[in-house]
Amino acid sequence: MAYKIDFEKHALADFEKLDGTIKKQIQKYIDKIEAREDPRTLGEQLHDNLSALWKYRVGNYRLIAPYPNEANLSKSRVAK
């Protein structure tokens, strides 16, 4: 199953503010996630009351997304 990651509105605004080099690194990692049969192999599930979320580490940044169990994932936050 192929996955497609779409930025939520506020996450896209945060992403656009990043340095070009960092944006390229994050986009390359997003492409890697989307190409995987199971994107969970690249990330880590959060714990306790955040267990519905999954994190992906890109350098000093984290991509936070809903648990990848559907064909359409949304990134809710790009955080350092």
Side-chain angles (χ1 to χ4, degrees), residues 14-48:
D14 290 345
F15 180 74
E16 292 299 329
K17 293 176 189 175
L18 296 173
D19 176 66
T21 304
I22 296 167
K23 286 196 296 192
K24 286 180 186 177
Q25 288 177 336
I26 291 173
Q27 186 58 56
K28 185 176 178 180
Y29 199 83
I30 289 170
D31 294 343
K32 188 176 179 179
I33 293 169
E34 289 179 336
R36 287 285 170 124
E37 183 69 28
D38 184 358
R40 294 174 291 190
T41 61
L42 296 174
E44 181 180 330
Q45 187 174 13
L46 298 180
H47 305 283
D48 300 325

Side-chain angles (χ1 to χ4, degrees), residues 9 15 28 32 45-46 51-52 63 68 72-73 75-76:
K9 193 174 189 176
F15 180 74
K28 185 176 178 180
K32 188 176 179 179
Q45 187 174 13
L46 298 180
S51 63
L63 308 177
N72 187 14
L73 301 176
K75 240 187 329 303
S76 58

Side-chain angles (χ1 to χ4, degrees), residues 7 21 25 45 55 57 63-64 71-72 77 79-80:
F7 283 96
T21 304
Q25 288 177 336
Q45 187 174 13
K55 74 176 178 180
R57 184 174 180 168
L63 308 177
I64 306 298
N72 187 14
R77 186 146 325 258
K80 184 172 184 178

